[in-house]
Amino acid sequence: MVVREQVAALRARLGADVFQKVAGDEGPSRRERIHDAPGPRWFAEDRPIRRVHGDASMFVGGLRALLLQSLHPLAMAGVAGHSGYRGDPWGRLARTSYFLASTTFGPDAEARETIERIKSVHAVVRGTAPDGRPYSAGDPHLLEWVHVAEIDSFLRAHQRYGSRPLDQAERDGYVADTARVARELGVLDPPETEAALAERLERFRPELEGTAEARSAARFLLLHPPLALAARAPYALLAAAAVGLLPRWARLPLRLPYLPLAEATVVRGAGTAITAGIRWVMSP
C-alpha cells in the first residue's frame, strides 16, 4: 500500500510538471474553461481530431511540425523575427497548446475567441525575409503551409506512437476535422483527405529550403532546449522520435541524419517508451 501511494504521488507530481510546461501558469484555469464550460463544441466526442489531439503522441508530432515548418523561408522568417521562440519557448508552447485544446475540445465561444486572438496577432506580423521577400503571417498561402506541415506531423506521430492508430476512414476524417479549424484561421482551401494532404505537401516542396535560420532553429530545438538536466534524457528520446518521422528530403536541408536501421529499431522503441511514459503520467 505504501509503495502504491508513493507511485501515485510520483505520477501526480510528474504529470503536474509536464502539464505546467505544456500549458503554462494559466493552464488550470484554461483547462476548466475548455473542458467544464457548457455549450456546443465544434467536434463531437467520437471525432478523430479528439483522439489525435488528446494523445501523448502529440509531443512527438509537435516537435516534428516545428522542424518541418522551418523549411519554408518566409514562415521561418516570421518565426525568427516575431515569435520569441528562443527567449520564451515555453510561452510559445503554451499558446500553441491552448489553441489546439480550445478549438478541439472547447465550447464554441472559447474556440472563436482563440481564433480571433490569433488572427489579430497575425495581422501585425509582417516583415522582410533575409532573401528580400516580404512576408505576412496572415498570408493564406503561408497559413496553408503551417497547417499542412502541422497536420501531417500530428497524424504521422499518432499512427506511429498513438495508443489507438486510425484506420483509413478515420485518417480522412481527421484531416477533414482540422480543415474546419484551418478555414476559420484563413486557409482558403485546406485538404480534407489524407491523400489530398500528401499532395498538398508535395506541391510545397519547390518552395522549401534549409536556410541558416532554419538550421539554427533545429539546433536549438534538438540540442539546446532550455530544460533542467534531469529532463534532457527524456527530451532527447522525443527529439529522436520526431526526427525519425521526418521524410528524407526534409533532413538534408536541416543537416539531420538519416539512419534507417537505427530508426526502425532503437529510435522507434525509444519513442514508444517515452510516449507511453508521458501518457501514464498525464492520464487521470
Side-chain angles (χ1 to χ4, degrees), residues 110-135:
E110 188 79 14
R112 292 190 182 280
E113 181 181 339
T114 303
I115 290 288
E116 291 306 313
R117 187 181 302 114
I118 291 173
K119 289 168 74 172
S120 68
V121 172
H122 285 172
V124 299
V125 175
R126 57 183 67 245
T128 303
D131 61 10
R133 288 183 292 168
Y135 65 82

mmCIF file with all atom_site columns, all heavy atoms in Angstrom, residues 110-135:
data_model
loop_
_atom_site.group_PDB
_atom_site.id
_atom_site.type_symbol
_atom_site.label_atom_id
_atom_site.label_alt_id
_atom_site.label_comp_id
_atom_site.label_asym_id
_atom_site.label_entity_id
_atom_site.label_seq_id
_atom_site.pdbx_PDB_ins_code
_atom_site.Cartn_x
_atom_site.Cartn_y
_atom_site.Cartn_z
_atom_site.occupancy
_atom_site.B_iso_or_equiv
_atom_site.pdbx_formal_charge
_atom_site.auth_seq_id
_atom_site.auth_comp_id
_atom_site.auth_asym_id
_atom_site.auth_atom_id
_atom_site.pdbx_PDB_model_num
ATOM 1   N N   . GLU A 1 110 ? -15.269 29.823 -26.759 1.00 0.00 ? 110 GLU A N   1
ATOM 2   C CA  . GLU A 1 110 ? -13.837 29.785 -26.435 1.00 0.00 ? 110 GLU A CA  1
ATOM 3   C C   . GLU A 1 110 ? -13.007 29.586 -27.703 1.00 0.00 ? 110 GLU A C   1
ATOM 4   O O   . GLU A 1 110 ? -11.974 30.224 -27.895 1.00 0.00 ? 110 GLU A O   1
ATOM 5   C CB  . GLU A 1 110 ? -13.561 28.653 -25.450 1.00 0.00 ? 110 GLU A CB  1
ATOM 6   C CG  . GLU A 1 110 ? -12.146 28.621 -24.895 1.00 0.00 ? 110 GLU A CG  1
ATOM 7   C CD  . GLU A 1 110 ? -11.931 29.637 -23.798 1.00 0.00 ? 110 GLU A CD  1
ATOM 8   O OE1 . GLU A 1 110 ? -12.921 30.184 -23.277 1.00 0.00 ? 110 GLU A OE1 1
ATOM 9   O OE2 . GLU A 1 110 ? -10.769 29.881 -23.452 1.00 0.00 ? 110 GLU A OE2 1
ATOM 10  N N   . ALA A 1 111 ? -13.471 28.695 -28.578 1.00 0.00 ? 111 ALA A N   1
ATOM 11  C CA  . ALA A 1 111 ? -12.758 28.436 -29.824 1.00 0.00 ? 111 ALA A CA  1
ATOM 12  C C   . ALA A 1 111 ? -12.705 29.683 -30.698 1.00 0.00 ? 111 ALA A C   1
ATOM 13  O O   . ALA A 1 111 ? -11.650 30.032 -31.251 1.00 0.00 ? 111 ALA A O   1
ATOM 14  C CB  . ALA A 1 111 ? -13.412 27.277 -30.575 1.00 0.00 ? 111 ALA A CB  1
ATOM 15  N N   . ARG A 1 112 ? -13.818 30.368 -30.821 1.00 0.00 ? 112 ARG A N   1
ATOM 16  C CA  . ARG A 1 112 ? -13.859 31.558 -31.677 1.00 0.00 ? 112 ARG A CA  1
ATOM 17  C C   . ARG A 1 112 ? -13.032 32.696 -31.093 1.00 0.00 ? 112 ARG A C   1
ATOM 18  O O   . ARG A 1 112 ? -12.372 33.430 -31.838 1.00 0.00 ? 112 ARG A O   1
ATOM 19  C CB  . ARG A 1 112 ? -15.306 32.000 -31.882 1.00 0.00 ? 112 ARG A CB  1
ATOM 20  C CG  . ARG A 1 112 ? -16.105 31.022 -32.716 1.00 0.00 ? 112 ARG A CG  1
ATOM 21  C CD  . ARG A 1 112 ? -17.452 31.562 -33.135 1.00 0.00 ? 112 ARG A CD  1
ATOM 22  N NE  . ARG A 1 112 ? -18.176 30.557 -33.901 1.00 0.00 ? 112 ARG A NE  1
ATOM 23  C CZ  . ARG A 1 112 ? -17.964 30.298 -35.188 1.00 0.00 ? 112 ARG A CZ  1
ATOM 24  N NH1 . ARG A 1 112 ? -17.047 30.984 -35.845 1.00 0.00 ? 112 ARG A NH1 1
ATOM 25  N NH2 . ARG A 1 112 ? -18.647 29.358 -35.810 1.00 0.00 ? 112 ARG A NH2 1
ATOM 26  N N   . GLU A 1 113 ? -13.042 32.836 -29.790 1.00 0.00 ? 113 GLU A N   1
ATOM 27  C CA  . GLU A 1 113 ? -12.229 33.870 -29.167 1.00 0.00 ? 113 GLU A CA  1
ATOM 28  C C   . GLU A 1 113 ? -10.740 33.601 -29.403 1.00 0.00 ? 113 GLU A C   1
ATOM 29  O O   . GLU A 1 113 ? -9.967  34.526 -29.689 1.00 0.00 ? 113 GLU A O   1
ATOM 30  C CB  . GLU A 1 113 ? -12.508 33.919 -27.663 1.00 0.00 ? 113 GLU A CB  1
ATOM 31  C CG  . GLU A 1 113 ? -11.715 34.988 -26.926 1.00 0.00 ? 113 GLU A CG  1
ATOM 32  C CD  . GLU A 1 113 ? -12.000 34.998 -25.441 1.00 0.00 ? 113 GLU A CD  1
ATOM 33  O OE1 . GLU A 1 113 ? -13.055 34.486 -25.020 1.00 0.00 ? 113 GLU A OE1 1
ATOM 34  O OE2 . GLU A 1 113 ? -11.147 35.518 -24.684 1.00 0.00 ? 113 GLU A OE2 1
ATOM 35  N N   . THR A 1 114 ? -10.348 32.338 -29.319 1.00 0.00 ? 114 THR A N   1
ATOM 36  C CA  . THR A 1 114 ? -8.951  31.970 -29.575 1.00 0.00 ? 114 THR A CA  1
ATOM 37  C C   . THR A 1 114 ? -8.568  32.267 -31.014 1.00 0.00 ? 114 THR A C   1
ATOM 38  O O   . THR A 1 114 ? -7.492  32.820 -31.286 1.00 0.00 ? 114 THR A O   1
ATOM 39  C CB  . THR A 1 114 ? -8.740  30.476 -29.276 1.00 0.00 ? 114 THR A CB  1
ATOM 40  O OG1 . THR A 1 114 ? -9.111  30.206 -27.926 1.00 0.00 ? 114 THR A OG1 1
ATOM 41  C CG2 . THR A 1 114 ? -7.287  30.084 -29.478 1.00 0.00 ? 114 THR A CG2 1
ATOM 42  N N   . ILE A 1 115 ? -9.429  31.904 -31.946 1.00 0.00 ? 115 ILE A N   1
ATOM 43  C CA  . ILE A 1 115 ? -9.160  32.150 -33.361 1.00 0.00 ? 115 ILE A CA  1
ATOM 44  C C   . ILE A 1 115 ? -9.010  33.643 -33.628 1.00 0.00 ? 115 ILE A C   1
ATOM 45  O O   . ILE A 1 115 ? -8.068  34.082 -34.327 1.00 0.00 ? 115 ILE A O   1
ATOM 46  C CB  . ILE A 1 115 ? -10.290 31.571 -34.230 1.00 0.00 ? 115 ILE A CB  1
ATOM 47  C CG1 . ILE A 1 115 ? -10.268 30.037 -34.215 1.00 0.00 ? 115 ILE A CG1 1
ATOM 48  C CG2 . ILE A 1 115 ? -10.197 32.098 -35.658 1.00 0.00 ? 115 ILE A CG2 1
ATOM 49  C CD1 . ILE A 1 115 ? -9.132  29.407 -34.980 1.00 0.00 ? 115 ILE A CD1 1
ATOM 50  N N   . GLU A 1 116 ? -9.896  34.446 -33.094 1.00 0.00 ? 116 GLU A N   1
ATOM 51  C CA  . GLU A 1 116 ? -9.828  35.889 -33.326 1.00 0.00 ? 116 GLU A CA  1
ATOM 52  C C   . GLU A 1 116 ? -8.568  36.496 -32.727 1.00 0.00 ? 116 GLU A C   1
ATOM 53  O O   . GLU A 1 116 ? -7.974  37.410 -33.306 1.00 0.00 ? 116 GLU A O   1
ATOM 54  C CB  . GLU A 1 116 ? -11.075 36.576 -32.766 1.00 0.00 ? 116 GLU A CB  1
ATOM 55  C CG  . GLU A 1 116 ? -12.355 36.259 -33.521 1.00 0.00 ? 116 GLU A CG  1
ATOM 56  C CD  . GLU A 1 116 ? -12.222 36.544 -35.010 1.00 0.00 ? 116 GLU A CD  1
ATOM 57  O OE1 . GLU A 1 116 ? -11.727 37.639 -35.377 1.00 0.00 ? 116 GLU A OE1 1
ATOM 58  O OE2 . GLU A 1 116 ? -12.607 35.679 -35.812 1.00 0.00 ? 116 GLU A OE2 1
ATOM 59  N N   . ARG A 1 117 ? -8.143  35.986 -31.580 1.00 0.00 ? 117 ARG A N   1
ATOM 60  C CA  . ARG A 1 117 ? -6.915  36.486 -30.967 1.00 0.00 ? 117 ARG A CA  1
ATOM 61  C C   . ARG A 1 117 ? -5.705  36.171 -31.858 1.00 0.00 ? 117 ARG A C   1
ATOM 62  O O   . ARG A 1 117 ? -4.825  37.013 -32.053 1.00 0.00 ? 117 ARG A O   1
ATOM 63  C CB  . ARG A 1 117 ? -6.732  35.859 -29.590 1.00 0.00 ? 117 ARG A CB  1
ATOM 64  C CG  . ARG A 1 117 ? -5.565  36.447 -28.788 1.00 0.00 ? 117 ARG A CG  1
ATOM 65  C CD  . ARG A 1 117 ? -5.411  35.774 -27.441 1.00 0.00 ? 117 ARG A CD  1
ATOM 66  N NE  . ARG A 1 117 ? -6.628  35.887 -26.647 1.00 0.00 ? 117 ARG A NE  1
ATOM 67  C CZ  . ARG A 1 117 ? -7.386  34.860 -26.297 1.00 0.00 ? 117 ARG A CZ  1
ATOM 68  N NH1 . ARG A 1 117 ? -7.061  33.640 -26.699 1.00 0.00 ? 117 ARG A NH1 1
ATOM 69  N NH2 . ARG A 1 117 ? -8.462  35.019 -25.573 1.00 0.00 ? 117 ARG A NH2 1
ATOM 70  N N   . ILE A 1 118 ? -5.680  34.968 -32.396 1.00 0.00 ? 118 ILE A N   1
ATOM 71  C CA  . ILE A 1 118 ? -4.569  34.584 -33.275 1.00 0.00 ? 118 ILE A CA  1
ATOM 72  C C   . ILE A 1 118 ? -4.575  35.429 -34.541 1.00 0.00 ? 118 ILE A C   1
ATOM 73  O O   . ILE A 1 118 ? -3.522  35.894 -35.005 1.00 0.00 ? 118 ILE A O   1
ATOM 74  C CB  . ILE A 1 118 ? -4.658  33.089 -33.614 1.00 0.00 ? 118 ILE A CB  1
ATOM 75  C CG1 . ILE A 1 118 ? -4.375  32.251 -32.364 1.00 0.00 ? 118 ILE A CG1 1
ATOM 76  C CG2 . ILE A 1 118 ? -3.672  32.723 -34.726 1.00 0.00 ? 118 ILE A CG2 1
ATOM 77  C CD1 . ILE A 1 118 ? -4.596  30.770 -32.562 1.00 0.00 ? 118 ILE A CD1 1
ATOM 78  N N   . LYS A 1 119 ? -5.740  35.656 -35.112 1.00 0.00 ? 119 LYS A N   1
ATOM 79  C CA  . LYS A 1 119 ? -5.825  36.460 -36.337 1.00 0.00 ? 119 LYS A CA  1
ATOM 80  C C   . LYS A 1 119 ? -5.382  37.906 -36.094 1.00 0.00 ? 119 LYS A C   1
ATOM 81  O O   . LYS A 1 119 ? -4.767  38.526 -36.967 1.00 0.00 ? 119 LYS A O   1
ATOM 82  C CB  . LYS A 1 119 ? -7.244  36.413 -36.888 1.00 0.00 ? 119 LYS A CB  1
ATOM 83  C CG  . LYS A 1 119 ? -7.600  35.043 -37.472 1.00 0.00 ? 119 LYS A CG  1
ATOM 84  C CD  . LYS A 1 119 ? -9.080  34.885 -37.753 1.00 0.00 ? 119 LYS A CD  1
ATOM 85  C CE  . LYS A 1 119 ? -9.513  35.664 -38.952 1.00 0.00 ? 119 LYS A CE  1
ATOM 86  N NZ  . LYS A 1 119 ? -10.923 35.357 -39.321 1.00 0.00 ? 119 LYS A NZ  1
ATOM 87  N N   . SER A 1 120 ? -5.658  38.427 -34.918 1.00 0.00 ? 120 SER A N   1
ATOM 88  C CA  . SER A 1 120 ? -5.213  39.793 -34.610 1.00 0.00 ? 120 SER A CA  1
ATOM 89  C C   . SER A 1 120 ? -3.701  39.859 -34.493 1.00 0.00 ? 120 SER A C   1
ATOM 90  O O   . SER A 1 120 ? -3.085  40.857 -34.882 1.00 0.00 ? 120 SER A O   1
ATOM 91  C CB  . SER A 1 120 ? -5.874  40.283 -33.329 1.00 0.00 ? 120 SER A CB  1
ATOM 92  O OG  . SER A 1 120 ? -5.405  39.576 -32.197 1.00 0.00 ? 120 SER A OG  1
ATOM 93  N N   . VAL A 1 121 ? -3.090  38.807 -33.970 1.00 0.00 ? 121 VAL A N   1
ATOM 94  C CA  . VAL A 1 121 ? -1.624  38.754 -33.907 1.00 0.00 ? 121 VAL A CA  1
ATOM 95  C C   . VAL A 1 121 ? -1.042  38.628 -35.312 1.00 0.00 ? 121 VAL A C   1
ATOM 96  O O   . VAL A 1 121 ? -0.084  39.319 -35.678 1.00 0.00 ? 121 VAL A O   1
ATOM 97  C CB  . VAL A 1 121 ? -1.164  37.578 -33.025 1.00 0.00 ? 121 VAL A CB  1
ATOM 98  C CG1 . VAL A 1 121 ? 0.346   37.394 -33.123 1.00 0.00 ? 121 VAL A CG1 1
ATOM 99  C CG2 . VAL A 1 121 ? -1.572  37.813 -31.572 1.00 0.00 ? 121 VAL A CG2 1
ATOM 100 N N   . HIS A 1 122 ? -1.632  37.758 -36.122 1.00 0.00 ? 122 HIS A N   1
ATOM 101 C CA  . HIS A 1 122 ? -1.161  37.576 -37.499 1.00 0.00 ? 122 HIS A CA  1
ATOM 102 C C   . HIS A 1 122 ? -1.211  38.877 -38.294 1.00 0.00 ? 122 HIS A C   1
ATOM 103 O O   . HIS A 1 122 ? -0.374  39.124 -39.166 1.00 0.00 ? 122 HIS A O   1
ATOM 104 C CB  . HIS A 1 122 ? -2.005  36.514 -38.213 1.00 0.00 ? 122 HIS A CB  1
ATOM 105 C CG  . HIS A 1 122 ? -1.700  35.120 -37.792 1.00 0.00 ? 122 HIS A CG  1
ATOM 106 N ND1 . HIS A 1 122 ? -2.454  34.030 -38.191 1.00 0.00 ? 122 HIS A ND1 1
ATOM 107 C CD2 . HIS A 1 122 ? -0.706  34.615 -37.022 1.00 0.00 ? 122 HIS A CD2 1
ATOM 108 C CE1 . HIS A 1 122 ? -1.943  32.937 -37.677 1.00 0.00 ? 122 HIS A CE1 1
ATOM 109 N NE2 . HIS A 1 122 ? -0.886  33.259 -36.969 1.00 0.00 ? 122 HIS A NE2 1
ATOM 110 N N   . ALA A 1 123 ? -2.185  39.716 -37.986 1.00 0.00 ? 123 ALA A N   1
ATOM 111 C CA  . ALA A 1 123 ? -2.361  40.948 -38.752 1.00 0.00 ? 123 ALA A CA  1
ATOM 112 C C   . ALA A 1 123 ? -1.174  41.900 -38.626 1.00 0.00 ? 123 ALA A C   1
ATOM 113 O O   . ALA A 1 123 ? -0.941  42.725 -39.521 1.00 0.00 ? 123 ALA A O   1
ATOM 114 C CB  . ALA A 1 123 ? -3.644  41.650 -38.307 1.00 0.00 ? 123 ALA A CB  1
ATOM 115 N N   . VAL A 1 124 ? -0.428  41.805 -37.540 1.00 0.00 ? 124 VAL A N   1
ATOM 116 C CA  . VAL A 1 124 ? 0.702   42.725 -37.332 1.00 0.00 ? 124 VAL A CA  1
ATOM 117 C C   . VAL A 1 124 ? 2.057   42.050 -37.527 1.00 0.00 ? 124 VAL A C   1
ATOM 118 O O   . VAL A 1 124 ? 3.098   42.706 -37.429 1.00 0.00 ? 124 VAL A O   1
ATOM 119 C CB  . VAL A 1 124 ? 0.637   43.359 -35.929 1.00 0.00 ? 124 VAL A CB  1
ATOM 120 C CG1 . VAL A 1 124 ? -0.633  44.169 -35.772 1.00 0.00 ? 124 VAL A CG1 1
ATOM 121 C CG2 . VAL A 1 124 ? 0.731   42.304 -34.835 1.00 0.00 ? 124 VAL A CG2 1
ATOM 122 N N   . VAL A 1 125 ? 2.057   40.731 -37.773 1.00 0.00 ? 125 VAL A N   1
ATOM 123 C CA  . VAL A 1 125 ? 3.318   40.017 -38.009 1.00 0.00 ? 125 VAL A CA  1
ATOM 124 C C   . VAL A 1 125 ? 3.629   40.071 -39.497 1.00 0.00 ? 125 VAL A C   1
ATOM 125 O O   . VAL A 1 125 ? 3.091   39.315 -40.295 1.00 0.00 ? 125 VAL A O   1
ATOM 126 C CB  . VAL A 1 125 ? 3.240   38.561 -37.513 1.00 0.00 ? 125 VAL A CB  1
ATOM 127 C CG1 . VAL A 1 125 ? 4.513   37.804 -37.889 1.00 0.00 ? 125 VAL A CG1 1
ATOM 128 C CG2 . VAL A 1 125 ? 3.035   38.522 -36.012 1.00 0.00 ? 125 VAL A CG2 1
ATOM 129 N N   . ARG A 1 126 ? 4.495   40.972 -39.860 1.00 0.00 ? 126 ARG A N   1
ATOM 130 C CA  . ARG A 1 126 ? 4.909   41.119 -41.250 1.00 0.00 ? 126 ARG A CA  1
ATOM 131 C C   . ARG A 1 126 ? 6.324   41.678 -41.269 1.00 0.00 ? 126 ARG A C   1
ATOM 132 O O   . ARG A 1 126 ? 6.799   42.261 -40.291 1.00 0.00 ? 126 ARG A O   1
ATOM 133 C CB  . ARG A 1 126 ? 3.948   42.029 -42.008 1.00 0.00 ? 126 ARG A CB  1
ATOM 134 C CG  . ARG A 1 126 ? 3.769   43.416 -41.409 1.00 0.00 ? 126 ARG A CG  1
ATOM 135 C CD  . ARG A 1 126 ? 2.739   44.241 -42.176 1.00 0.00 ? 126 ARG A CD  1
ATOM 136 N NE  . ARG A 1 126 ? 1.402   43.709 -42.042 1.00 0.00 ? 126 ARG A NE  1
ATOM 137 C CZ  . ARG A 1 126 ? 0.670   43.200 -43.033 1.00 0.00 ? 126 ARG A CZ  1
ATOM 138 N NH1 . ARG A 1 126 ? 1.171   43.179 -44.260 1.00 0.00 ? 126 ARG A NH1 1
ATOM 139 N NH2 . ARG A 1 126 ? -0.546  42.740 -42.826 1.00 0.00 ? 126 ARG A NH2 1
ATOM 140 N N   . GLY A 1 127 ? 6.992   41.491 -42.369 1.00 0.00 ? 127 GLY A N   1
ATOM 141 C CA  . GLY A 1 127 ? 8.362   41.978 -42.462 1.00 0.00 ? 127 GLY A CA  1
ATOM 142 C C   . GLY A 1 127 ? 8.997   41.543 -43.761 1.00 0.00 ? 127 GLY A C   1
ATOM 143 O O   . GLY A 1 127 ? 8.316   41.203 -44.734 1.00 0.00 ? 127 GLY A O   1
ATOM 144 N N   . THR A 1 128 ? 10.325  41.536 -43.764 1.00 0.00 ? 128 THR A N   1
ATOM 145 C CA  . THR A 1 128 ? 11.092  41.155 -44.951 1.00 0.00 ? 128 THR A CA  1
ATOM 146 C C   . THR A 1 128 ? 12.052  40.036 -44.579 1.00 0.00 ? 128 THR A C   1
ATOM 147 O O   . THR A 1 128 ? 12.810  40.150 -43.603 1.00 0.00 ? 128 THR A O   1
ATOM 148 C CB  . THR A 1 128 ? 11.883  42.349 -45.499 1.00 0.00 ? 128 THR A CB  1
ATOM 149 O OG1 . THR A 1 128 ? 10.971  43.415 -45.780 1.00 0.00 ? 128 THR A OG1 1
ATOM 150 C CG2 . THR A 1 128 ? 12.634  41.966 -46.760 1.00 0.00 ? 128 THR A CG2 1
ATOM 151 N N   . ALA A 1 129 ? 12.012  38.956 -45.322 1.00 0.00 ? 129 ALA A N   1
ATOM 152 C CA  . ALA A 1 129 ? 12.894  37.819 -45.081 1.00 0.00 ? 129 ALA A CA  1
ATOM 153 C C   . ALA A 1 129 ? 14.325  38.169 -45.480 1.00 0.00 ? 129 ALA A C   1
ATOM 154 O O   . ALA A 1 129 ? 14.558  39.131 -46.224 1.00 0.00 ? 129 ALA A O   1
ATOM 155 C CB  . ALA A 1 129 ? 12.401  36.610 -45.866 1.00 0.00 ? 129 ALA A CB  1
ATOM 156 N N   . PRO A 1 130 ? 15.310  37.411 -45.004 1.00 0.00 ? 130 PRO A N   1
ATOM 157 C CA  . PRO A 1 130 ? 16.703  37.675 -45.371 1.00 0.00 ? 130 PRO A CA  1
ATOM 158 C C   . PRO A 1 130 ? 16.965  37.686 -46.876 1.00 0.00 ? 130 PRO A C   1
ATOM 159 O O   . PRO A 1 130 ? 17.899  38.352 -47.338 1.00 0.00 ? 130 PRO A O   1
ATOM 160 C CB  . PRO A 1 130 ? 17.467  36.532 -44.688 1.00 0.00 ? 130 PRO A CB  1
ATOM 161 C CG  . PRO A 1 130 ? 16.642  36.197 -43.497 1.00 0.00 ? 130 PRO A CG  1
ATOM 162 C CD  . PRO A 1 130 ? 15.223  36.368 -43.960 1.00 0.00 ? 130 PRO A CD  1
ATOM 163 N N   . ASP A 1 131 ? 16.132  36.973 -47.651 1.00 0.00 ? 131 ASP A N   1
ATOM 164 C CA  . ASP A 1 131 ? 16.330  36.971 -49.107 1.00 0.00 ? 131 ASP A CA  1
ATOM 165 C C   . ASP A 1 131 ? 15.637  38.151 -49.787 1.00 0.00 ? 131 ASP A C   1
ATOM 166 O O   . ASP A 1 131 ? 15.626  38.250 -51.008 1.00 0.00 ? 131 ASP A O   1
ATOM 167 C CB  . ASP A 1 131 ? 15.837  35.656 -49.709 1.00 0.00 ? 131 ASP A CB  1
ATOM 168 C CG  . ASP A 1 131 ? 14.343  35.405 -49.494 1.00 0.00 ? 131 ASP A CG  1
ATOM 169 O OD1 . ASP A 1 131 ? 13.628  36.335 -49.048 1.00 0.00 ? 131 ASP A OD1 1
ATOM 170 O OD2 . ASP A 1 131 ? 13.894  34.283 -49.771 1.00 0.00 ? 131 ASP A OD2 1
ATOM 171 N N   . GLY A 1 132 ? 15.046  39.058 -48.999 1.00 0.00 ? 132 GLY A N   1
ATOM 172 C CA  . GLY A 1 132 ? 14.445  40.264 -49.551 1.00 0.00 ? 132 GLY A CA  1
ATOM 173 C C   . GLY A 1 132 ? 12.965  40.182 -49.839 1.00 0.00 ? 132 GLY A C   1
ATOM 174 O O   . GLY A 1 132 ? 12.334  41.193 -50.168 1.00 0.00 ? 132 GLY A O   1
ATOM 175 N N   . ARG A 1 133 ? 12.367  39.027 -49.701 1.00 0.00 ? 133 ARG A N   1
ATOM 176 C CA  . ARG A 1 133 ? 10.945  38.879 -49.978 1.00 0.00 ? 133 ARG A CA  1
ATOM 177 C C   . ARG A 1 133 ? 10.119  39.311 -48.772 1.00 0.00 ? 133 ARG A C   1
ATOM 178 O O   . ARG A 1 133 ? 10.466  39.015 -47.640 1.00 0.00 ? 133 ARG A O   1
ATOM 179 C CB  . ARG A 1 133 ? 10.610  37.427 -50.323 1.00 0.00 ? 133 ARG A CB  1
ATOM 180 C CG  . ARG A 1 133 ? 11.101  36.984 -51.694 1.00 0.00 ? 133 ARG A CG  1
ATOM 181 C CD  . ARG A 1 133 ? 10.649  35.555 -51.981 1.00 0.00 ? 133 ARG A CD  1
ATOM 182 N NE  . ARG A 1 133 ? 11.317  34.589 -51.108 1.00 0.00 ? 133 ARG A NE  1
ATOM 183 C CZ  . ARG A 1 133 ? 10.954  33.316 -50.977 1.00 0.00 ? 133 ARG A CZ  1
ATOM 184 N NH1 . ARG A 1 133 ? 9.897   32.866 -51.657 1.00 0.00 ? 133 ARG A NH1 1
ATOM 185 N NH2 . ARG A 1 133 ? 11.631  32.499 -50.178 1.00 0.00 ? 133 ARG A NH2 1
ATOM 186 N N   . PRO A 1 134 ? 9.010   40.002 -49.016 1.00 0.00 ? 134 PRO A N   1
ATOM 187 C CA  . PRO A 1 134 ? 8.132   40.371 -47.902 1.00 0.00 ? 134 PRO A CA  1
ATOM 188 C C   . PRO A 1 134 ? 7.322   39.160 -47.444 1.00 0.00 ? 134 PRO A C   1
ATOM 189 O O   . PRO A 1 134 ? 7.047   38.241 -48.217 1.00 0.00 ? 134 PRO A O   1
ATOM 190 C CB  . PRO A 1 134 ? 7.226   41.444 -48.501 1.00 0.00 ? 134 PRO A CB  1
ATOM 191 C CG  . PRO A 1 134 ? 7.177   41.100 -49.951 1.00 0.00 ? 134 PRO A CG  1
ATOM 192 C CD  . PRO A 1 134 ? 8.533   40.544 -50.310 1.00 0.00 ? 134 PRO A CD  1
ATOM 193 N N   . TYR A 1 135 ? 6.935   39.153 -46.178 1.00 0.00 ? 135 TYR A N   1
ATOM 194 C CA  . TYR A 1 135 ? 6.083   38.091 -45.666 1.00 0.00 ? 135 TYR A CA  1
ATOM 195 C C   . TYR A 1 135 ? 5.031   38.686 -44.739 1.00 0.00 ? 135 TYR A C   1
ATOM 196 O O   . TYR A 1 135 ? 5.197   39.781 -44.193 1.00 0.00 ? 135 TYR A O   1
ATOM 197 C CB  . TYR A 1 135 ? 6.900   37.032 -44.911 1.00 0.00 ? 135 TYR A CB  1
ATOM 198 C CG  . TYR A 1 135 ? 7.554   37.545 -43.647 1.00 0.00 ? 135 TYR A CG  1
ATOM 199 C CD1 . TYR A 1 135 ? 6.841   37.642 -42.444 1.00 0.00 ? 135 TYR A CD1 1
ATOM 200 C CD2 . TYR A 1 135 ? 8.893   37.931 -43.638 1.00 0.00 ? 135 TYR A CD2 1
ATOM 201 C CE1 . TYR A 1 135 ? 7.445   38.114 -41.283 1.00 0.00 ? 135 TYR A CE1 1
ATOM 202 C CE2 . TYR A 1 135 ? 9.505   38.400 -42.487 1.00 0.00 ? 135 TYR A CE2 1
ATOM 203 C CZ  . TYR A 1 135 ? 8.768   38.480 -41.314 1.00 0.00 ? 135 TYR A CZ  1
ATOM 204 O OH  . TYR A 1 135 ? 9.360   38.963 -40.171 1.00 0.00 ? 135 TYR A OH  1
#
